[in-house]
């Protein structure tokens, strides 16, 4: 069962990931105004704070899932089946035992601490205990699901991964539409999300038993497998800690310093930016198991694949996130109303710039993880988190909630500098600096510059009433297309223009004839 994926297979996997993410995220974005209207911004802000408090648990589940996927990806041959089963059994035991302990701790102890730390009182926080209990149950489902998902990730079976993701999102969206009108509380919203996670788990268990049942095993402890998972997962846990600080620092400080509705404003802008950012990340996620198969390749081959993949994903990230910058005000106005648009427009612009800067490290992070170098990933994430948290702690008390987001930009600049430094140390090859500048930094810099220029030209157009969706979508499409053309044109000015053009043509030829994915 050793899997060898060619370029066409990788593009197909990226397409499945992109389709799954698009189908999964669109219902969430579509129903968000409905949720805000039914709950109100204070209750929506409380739900955001509960999610942020549960987020540290994701460090464990994410690290466990990634380390399990890497170990299983290297044991796909029939002769490795018994060893793979031991890894699966150990990972499943960790998910149930350690995950259950974490979920119980969050469910019982987090609510009193949140009331104290975020000064939560009043009707919006009346159901805080139930909200934490449901959010913790949802996370525990995610934790166990991560182990089963590793079976499909290791086999690069992104068709089933896409189907599972879509099903869970649709269940959560339908439950939200049906239940929130009946009980408009933060706990209802979090319970609907938990129902989607439970659906993911049930589908993953069902499909794994039907298709690869011989690779499954009941929970059991194997010391060798535990040592391997902890060795990789421990550093990955540190990496997730940095990512947590970078992603949640502003939300924590807003909750501690201001009223929950300001967390609601920030959550709206962050959710939209994250949707676009994670969409691009999902397209590149298939590189993790692919890089795991390159252990014996020469450095020249590895760095060639790494930088070419970075260029493609960075052009996409600059186009997709940069397109949000000129249309930020109109998009928020049309999507959530004038109040949120007036408050959150600048935050959305700043977060979009931060997302573009953060894209510099994505492909390299997949490579480091696939090679078992989680300590380097931890260094990148921890430095990012430290700079983000320190900037937030200084800026928010003095400049108010609208300073949120600038700390993320500072953190991502630190991440970019650290990534470039580690790239140079990892691949001691001639001409590496010029290649990094061309493939990694150039498309991101061009994207930010063109997006800000378009915002200055188009983004401040006044409107007396809510702009139509046609206006918003057209402006976004024109902006993203302009950034894409500018980034591709810039790539033709350097010494690696032939490589960039060849890869771009390969992608166009793969998808333009609408072949079966």
């Amino acid at each position: 069962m050793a899997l060898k994926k060619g370029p066409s297979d990788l593009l197909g996997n990226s397409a499945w990931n992109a389709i799954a993410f698009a189908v999964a995220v669109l219902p969430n974005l579509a129903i968000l105004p409905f949720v805000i209207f039914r709950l109100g911004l204070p209750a929506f802000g409380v739900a955001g704070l509960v999610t942020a408090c549960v987020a540290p648990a994701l460090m464990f589940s994410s690290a466990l899932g990634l380390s399990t996927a890497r170990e299983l990806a290297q044991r796909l041959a029939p002769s490795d089946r018994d060893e793979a089963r031991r890894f699966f059994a150990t990972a499943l035991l960790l998910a149930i035992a350690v995950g259950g302990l974490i979920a119980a701790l969050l469910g019982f102890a987090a609510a009193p601490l949140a009331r104290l730390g975020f000064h939560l009182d009043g009707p919006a926080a009346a159901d805080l205990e139930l909200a934490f209990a449901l959010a913790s149950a949802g996370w525990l489902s995610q934790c166990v699901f991560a182990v089963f998902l590793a079976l499909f990730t290791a086999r690069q079976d992104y068709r089933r991964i896409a189907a599972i993701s879509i099903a869970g999102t649709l269940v959560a969206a339908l439950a939200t539409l049906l239940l929130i009108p009946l009980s408009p509380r933060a706990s209802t919203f979090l319970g609907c999300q938990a129902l989607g996670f439970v659906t993911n788990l049930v589908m993953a268990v069902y499909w794994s038993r039907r298709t690869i049942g011989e690779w499954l095993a009941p929970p059991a402890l194997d010391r060798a497998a535990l040592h391997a998972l902890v060795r990789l997962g421990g550093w990955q846990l540190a990496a997730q800690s940095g990512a947590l600080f970078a992603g949640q620092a502003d939300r924590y400080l807003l909750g501690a310093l201001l009223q929950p509705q300001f967390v609601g404003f920030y959550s709206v802008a962050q959710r939209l930016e994250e949707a676009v950012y994670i969409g691009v990340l999902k397209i590149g996620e298939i590189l993790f198991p692919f890089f795991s198969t390159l252990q014996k390749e020469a450095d020249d081959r590895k760095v060639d694949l790494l930088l070419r993949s970075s260029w493609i994903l960075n052009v996409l990230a600059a186009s997709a996130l940069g397109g949000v910058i000129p249309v930020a005000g109109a998009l928020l106005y049309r999507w959530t109303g004038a109040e949120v648009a007036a408050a959150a427009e600048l935050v959305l612009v700043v977060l979009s710039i931060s997302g573009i800067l953060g894209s510099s490290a994505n492909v390299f992070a997949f490579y480091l993880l696939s090679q078992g170098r989680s300590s380097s990933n931890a260094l990148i994430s921890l430095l990012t988190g430290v700079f983000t948290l320190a900037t937030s702690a200084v800026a928010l008390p003095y400049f108010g909630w609208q300073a949120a987001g600038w700390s993320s930009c500072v953190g991502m600049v630190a991440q970019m500098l650290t990534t470039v430094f580690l790239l140079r140390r990892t691949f001691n090859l001639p001409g590496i600096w010029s290649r990094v500048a061309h493939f990694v930094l150039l498309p991101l810099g061009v994207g930010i510059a063109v997006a800000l220029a378009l915002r200055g030209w188009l983004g401040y157009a006044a409107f007396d009433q809510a702009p139509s969706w046609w206006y918003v979508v057209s402006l976004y499409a024109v902006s993203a297309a302009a950034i894409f053309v500018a980034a591709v044109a810039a790539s033709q000015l350097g010494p690696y223009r032939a490589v960039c053009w060849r890869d771009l043509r390969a992608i166009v030829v793969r998808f333009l004839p609408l072949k079966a994915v």
Side-chain angles (χ1 to χ4, degrees):
M1 292 186 65
L3 300 177
K4 296 294 183 181
K5 296 288 184 180
S8 181
D9 297 305
L10 292 177
L11 291 174
N13 288 339
S14 292
W16 277 114
N17 252 15
I19 291 170
F21 180 77
V23 175
V25 78
L26 288 177
N28 279 327
L29 295 180
I31 66 174
L32 188 61
F34 167 82
V35 172
I36 294 174
F37 174 75
R38 290 287 186 173
L39 293 182
L41 278 169
F44 182 71
V46 169
L49 286 173
V50 172
T51 302
C53 290
V54 175
L58 292 172
M59 296 186 297
F60 172 75
S61 57
S62 179
L64 179 62
L66 287 172
S67 57
T68 303
R70 180 181 181 272
E71 297 298 340
L72 295 180
Q74 298 177 3
R75 295 168 176 83
L76 297 177
S79 58
D80 295 327
R81 182 179 303 172
D82 290 341
E83 188 177 4
R85 282 167 53 87
R86 289 195 294 272
F87 271 93
F88 175 83
T90 302
L92 187 58
L93 178 65
L94 289 174
I96 295 173
V98 180
L101 182 61
I102 294 173
L105 183 64
L106 287 171
F108 290 107
L113 294 176
R115 287 189 188 277
L116 179 64
F118 299 131
H119 315 291
L120 295 176
D121 52 18
D127 61 331
L128 196 61
E129 286 76 12
L130 180 58
F132 269 105
L134 292 172
S136 301
W139 171 80
L140 181 58
S141 298
Q142 279 183 291
C143 184
V144 180
F145 167 65
V147 177
F148 284 90
L149 187 67
L151 291 166
F152 299 106
T153 303
R155 289 158 177 78
Q156 303 183 51
D157 189 356
Y158 286 94
R159 189 188 302 256
R160 285 192 172 86
I161 293 174
I164 293 171
S165 175
I166 291 170
T169 301
L170 292 179
V171 168
L174 289 174
T176 300
L177 293 173
L178 292 173
L179 298 179
I180 281 189
L182 300 177
S183 179
R185 302 189 300 174
S187 59
T188 307
F189 179 53
L190 294 168
C192 293
Q193 292 181 320
L195 188 60
F197 299 141
V198 172
T199 302
N200 288 339
L201 174 59
V202 171
M203 288 191 64
V205 172
Y206 173 75
W207 260 341
S208 60
R209 288 176 64 88
R210 285 201 60 182
T211 59
I212 47 177
E214 66 274 15
W215 294 80
L216 302 180
L221 180 64
D222 181 87
R223 294 186 180 276
L226 177 64
H227 178 73
L229 291 172
V230 170
R231 185 176 64 249
L232 178 64
W235 281 113
Q236 191 59 25
L237 192 66
Q240 294 293 328
S241 301
L244 170 72
F245 290 138
Q248 304 293 339
D250 284 332
R251 196 177 297 186
Y252 289 144
L253 289 174
L254 285 172
L257 299 173
L258 300 171
Q259 296 299 313
Q261 59 262 34
F262 293 100
V263 181
F265 288 137
Y266 181 80
S267 296
V268 170
Q270 187 182 46
R271 182 164 296 195
L272 187 57
E273 181 270 333
E274 280 183 341
V276 182
Y277 179 83
I278 296 175
V280 177
L281 191 65
K282 286 290 184 181
I283 294 175
E285 199 175 60
I286 54 93
L287 293 170
F288 166 50
F290 173 70
F291 284 149
S292 296
T293 66
L294 301 179
Q295 301 282 355
K296 298 180 180 179
E297 297 282 351
D299 279 353
D300 284 339
R301 171 66 171 163
K302 291 179 181 178
V303 76
D304 179 62
L305 292 171
L306 174 64
L307 294 178
R308 287 163 57 196
S309 301
S310 294
W311 180 78
I312 293 169
L313 286 179
N314 286 349
V315 169
L316 287 176
S319 303
L321 286 163
V324 174
I325 293 174
V327 77
L331 176 56
L332 288 171
Y333 198 118
R334 175 70 265 182
W335 184 38
T336 56
E339 180 185 6
V340 177
E345 177 183 2
L346 181 59
V347 175
L348 178 56
V349 170
V350 173
L351 287 175
S352 298
I353 295 173
S354 170
I356 295 175
L357 294 172
S359 300
S360 62
N362 289 340
V363 174
F364 190 48
F366 288 135
Y367 172 80
L368 290 173
L369 183 60
S370 70
Q371 303 299 304
R373 293 183 53 191
S374 292
S375 58
S376 296
N377 267 344
L379 176 63
I380 294 172
S381 293
L382 288 174
L383 285 176
T384 304
V386 167
F387 276 89
T388 301
L389 188 61
T391 307
S392 292
V394 172
L396 286 177
Y398 287 98
F399 299 104
W401 88 270
Q402 289 191 331
W406 288 109
S407 59
S408 180
C409 283
V410 173
M412 292 308 171
V413 170
Q415 175 178 279
M416 179 183 291
L417 295 175
T418 307
T419 300
V420 172
F421 172 76
L422 288 175
L423 268 171
R424 181 65 183 84
R425 290 196 62 182
T426 301
F427 301 107
N428 189 19
L429 300 173
I432 188 69
W433 282 116
S434 62
R435 297 172 75 180
V436 169
H438 187 93
F439 289 107
V440 179
L441 304 180
L442 180 62
L444 301 180
V446 170
I448 293 174
V450 174
L452 291 176
L454 289 172
R455 175 172 169 79
W457 183 34
L458 300 172
Y460 293 108
F463 38 82
D464 297 325
Q465 56 186 0
S468 68
W469 275 115
W470 285 110
Y471 172 82
V472 173
V473 173
S474 299
L475 182 57
Y476 174 80
V478 169
S479 301
I483 294 169
F484 180 83
V485 170
V488 172
S491 73
Q492 298 304 296
L493 300 177
Y496 307 104
R497 55 184 177 273
V499 176
C500 295
W501 188 251
R502 184 176 68 245
D503 287 341
L504 186 61
R505 285 187 61 190
I507 295 173
V508 171
V509 169
R510 173 66 176 83
F511 292 110
L512 196 60
L514 300 179
K515 297 178 182 178
V517 176

